[in-house]
Amino acid sequence: VGWFLGVVFLFYMLFPVYVFMLDNRRRERESFSKKPFFNMDNMHMTKADEEFMNKVIKIIEDNVGEDNFNVECMADILCMSHSSLLRKIKSVFNMSPVELIRLIKLKKAAELIQEGKHLIGDICYMVGISSPSYFSKLFFKQFGISPKDFEKQCREKQGNG
């Protein structure tokens, strides 16, 4: 009976810690997808997942302007099957490969907008999105701000900073 009570006590002590860790990971993933300049060093993950994440992001960034870059191209570059890539990206990023490619393109667009050297209409083509209106819709849906307002916000920060 004493052993059983010890196990139950241990469960009740460790369960909140486990829930807290899962909640932190969920918040990190959410920040990664919702904040254009989220520092990925803040994400807590295994070394293997971190290496995979960095490799995938680098591949997408290297091909960000390619119109024909898709999940199949990424799978070929990584020497993985489409289904393996889907599972691995889902486990690390909690999104599909298509969503991840789109997110990295939008983060690159945010970076280019912040630099202030290009027009928004040109930036959408630079990141491989062929329709400016579709780009604006995606940008707003992802970051909760239109590209124009984001540009204005960046200019104001540069003016004040």
Side-chain angles (χ1 to χ4, degrees):
V1 173
W3 173 83
F4 179 74
L5 290 176
V7 169
V8 170
F9 178 75
L10 187 61
F11 173 77
Y12 281 106
M13 293 301 291
L14 292 179
F15 186 73
V17 173
Y18 177 72
V19 169
F20 178 75
M21 289 171 56
L22 286 176
D23 191 46
N24 274 349
R25 184 162 178 157
R26 181 194 53 78
R27 276 189 263 134
E28 288 171 351
R29 288 176 173 176
E30 192 173 290
S31 292
F32 173 73
S33 68
K34 294 292 181 192
K35 295 180 181 176
F37 304 112
F38 180 74
N39 188 353
M40 288 179 275
D41 295 336
N42 296 336
M43 295 181 74
H44 299 96
M45 58 181 62
T46 67
K47 186 75 171 162
D49 284 349
E50 187 176 338
E51 287 174 6
F52 177 77
M53 177 185 73
N54 290 333
K55 184 187 271 188
V56 166
I57 290 172
K58 173 100 172 79
I59 289 168
I60 296 170
E61 286 175 344
D62 289 347
N63 294 283
V64 77
E66 301 293 325
D67 289 338
N68 60 351
F69 182 72
N70 57 25
V71 179
E72 286 75 26
C73 296
M74 187 166 46
D76 288 344
I77 293 168
L78 290 167
C79 300
M80 296 177 79
S81 70
H82 185 276
S83 59
S84 295
L85 182 64
L86 174 67
R87 272 193 307 277
K88 185 67 177 173
I89 287 179
K90 188 73 172 169
S91 72
V92 174
F93 296 98
N94 199 34
M95 58 182 69
S96 73
V98 171
E99 291 169 329
L100 180 63
I101 291 170
R102 186 181 308 128
L103 174 64
I104 300 302
K105 285 182 174 196
L106 291 172
K107 283 180 176 268
K108 180 64 176 176
E111 200 176 293
L112 292 168
I113 291 169
Q114 186 183 38
E115 286 176 8
K117 296 178 183 175
H118 307 283
L119 298 172
I120 292 173
D122 296 336
I123 290 171
C124 73
Y125 295 108
M126 292 168 72
V127 297
I129 299 173
S130 57
S131 166
S133 61
Y134 182 60
F135 169 75
S136 293
K137 179 182 165 188
L138 289 175
F139 196 94
F140 183 81
K141 183 179 177 188
Q142 191 68 49
F143 301 126
I145 188 170
S146 72
K148 288 279 187 203
D149 290 340
F150 182 74
E151 181 181 42
K152 190 186 314 179
Q153 191 179 71
C154 290
R155 279 196 208 136
E156 288 171 3
K157 284 182 182 177
Q158 288 172 350
N160 294 336

